[in-house]
């Protein structure tokens, strides 16, 4: 157990629907990152939050949004789902260790869009 | 911009033989580099990290990597492969905003 908790583990839904993925970071970690892993795109950075504020944005579609709450958990909202959104979505939290920002990943949420 | 290139998409070795997974990086400044491993249906786990200290970095499970600035490389090695090493390995560079940029991955197969 990495200490980063993601729910749900698996989710199957239909095109056009909306889903919410949830992430609880490791205790004490203030940063949360979201990544998407798909067969054709590999691991893509989506967005980062630090202590409730958006810090960096990557290849996140306009149909996707995220937020980090005061208790530091984060949610990734995916709307108007398309077949191509089927992927494994990872959340990670971080702590600085000897000058490097080390990310700890959750087990992922596997989204299947039918 | 920072990037990493993993030179092999698949590597196959026999159990007990050495492992070499190759990675070249591109960075406009002294980078932080990592290797992560992903076992089937599991999340990503940090193997080791380089942060401008010792150029030879030791990680978990007997893996190590050497930072070579002149060759812009950060290859991952292990003297003797074990069946449990079969997984996907990612070379990763950290950018200025501390977000991780992943390589395309190398799938390691270990045959008995």
């Amino acid at each position: 157990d990495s200490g980063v908790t993601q729910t749900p583990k698996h989710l199957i839904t239909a095109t056009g629907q909306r889903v919410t993925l949830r992430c609880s970071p490791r205790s004490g970690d203030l940063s949360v990152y979201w990544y998407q892993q798909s067969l054709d795109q590999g691991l893509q950075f989506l967005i980062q939050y630090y202590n409730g504020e958006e810090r960096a944005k990557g290849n996140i579609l306009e149909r996707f949004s995220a937020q980090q709450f005061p208790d530091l958990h984060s949610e990734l909202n995916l709307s108007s789902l398309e077949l191509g959104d089927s992927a494994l979505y990872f959340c990670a939290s971080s702590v600085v260790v000897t000058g490097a920002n080390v990310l700890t990943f959750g087990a992922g949420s596997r989204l299947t869009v039918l | 911009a920072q990037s990493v290139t993993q030179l092999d998409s698949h590597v196959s070795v026999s159990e007990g033989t050495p492992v070499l997974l190759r990675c070249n990086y591109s960075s406009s400044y002294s980078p932080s580099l990592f290797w992560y491993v992903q076992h089937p249906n599991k999340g990503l786990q940090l193997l080791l990290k380089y942060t401008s200290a010792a150029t030879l970095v030791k990680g978990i499970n007997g893996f190590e990597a050497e930072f070579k600035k002149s060759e812009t490389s950060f290859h991952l090695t292990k003297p003797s492969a074990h069946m449990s090493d079969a997984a996907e390995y990612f070379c990763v560079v950290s950018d200025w905003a501390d977000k991780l940029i992943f390589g395309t991955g190398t799938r390691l197969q270990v045959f008995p």
Side-chain angles (χ1 to χ4, degrees):
Chain A
D1 182 3
S2 68
V4 178
T5 304
Q6 289 188 248
T7 56
K9 285 187 170 45
H10 301 277
L11 190 55
I12 301 174
T13 189
T15 54
Q17 296 297 305
R18 172 190 170 96
V19 299
T20 297
L21 309 180
R22 183 188 166 100
C23 169
S24 294
R26 287 191 328 166
S27 177
D29 288 356
L30 299 179
S31 274
V32 168
Y33 303 73
W34 285 98
Y35 282 81
Q36 178 194 58
Q37 185 178 33
S38 61
L39 284 175
D40 54 343
Q41 300 279 344
L43 264 158
Q44 298 282 318
F45 168 73
L46 296 178
I47 198 163
Q48 178 201 358
Y49 282 83
Y50 178 82
N51 204 21
E53 300 289 327
E54 182 184 304
R55 186 159 186 249
K57 221 168 187 175
N59 301 322
I60 188 165
L61 300 172
E62 284 192 12
R63 300 184 285 109
F64 297 180
S65 65
Q67 59 184 125
Q68 186 179 26
F69 295 87
D71 67 352
L72 300 178
H73 92 270
S74 177
E75 292 181 356
L76 178 66
N77 299 298
L78 316 174
S79 61
S80 302
L81 285 168
E82 302 175 0
L83 296 177
D85 298 328
S86 295
L88 195 49
Y89 291 84
F90 285 109
C91 169
S93 66
S94 73
V95 62
V96 176
V97 176
T98 59
N101 199 24
V102 176
L103 270 62
T104 301
F105 285 79
S109 292
R110 183 172 295 281
L111 173 65
T112 303
V113 182
L114 300 176
Chain B
Q2 283 67 42
S3 66
V4 288
T5 301
Q6 292 185 245
L7 300 168
D8 307 292
S9 58
H10 289 85
V11 169
S12 297
V13 300
S14 297
E15 191 174 22
T17 64
V19 175
L20 170 64
L21 305 183
R22 299 182 296 163
C23 172
N24 287 347
Y25 71 89
S26 173
S27 178
S28 53
Y29 55 87
S30 183
S32 291
L33 291 160
F34 310 80
W35 277 96
Y36 277 81
V37 61
Q38 184 179 26
H39 287 93
N41 300 313
K42 295 283 178 67
L44 294 141
Q45 181 185 20
L46 178 69
L47 271 181
L48 50 80
K49 60 177 171 54
Y50 166 77
T51 59
S52 74
T55 56
L56 183 62
V57 181
K58 293 190 185 299
I60 61 172
N61 300 334
F63 284 94
E64 61 182 38
E66 187 170 7
F67 175 75
K68 291 187 176 180
K69 187 174 180 179
S70 60
E71 298 176 11
T72 62
S73 69
F74 189 58
H75 301 336
L76 181 70
T77 61
K78 183 173 180 177
S80 175
H82 191 272
M83 295 295 291
S84 61
D85 295 327
E88 186 99 18
Y89 291 79
F90 294 92
C91 182
V92 184
V93 64
S94 178
D95 77 355
W96 63 271
D98 291 329
K99 71 176 189 284
L100 301 186
I101 299 166
F102 283 78
T104 50
T106 298
R107 182 165 298 278
L108 175 65
Q109 283 187 301
V110 182
F111 294 103

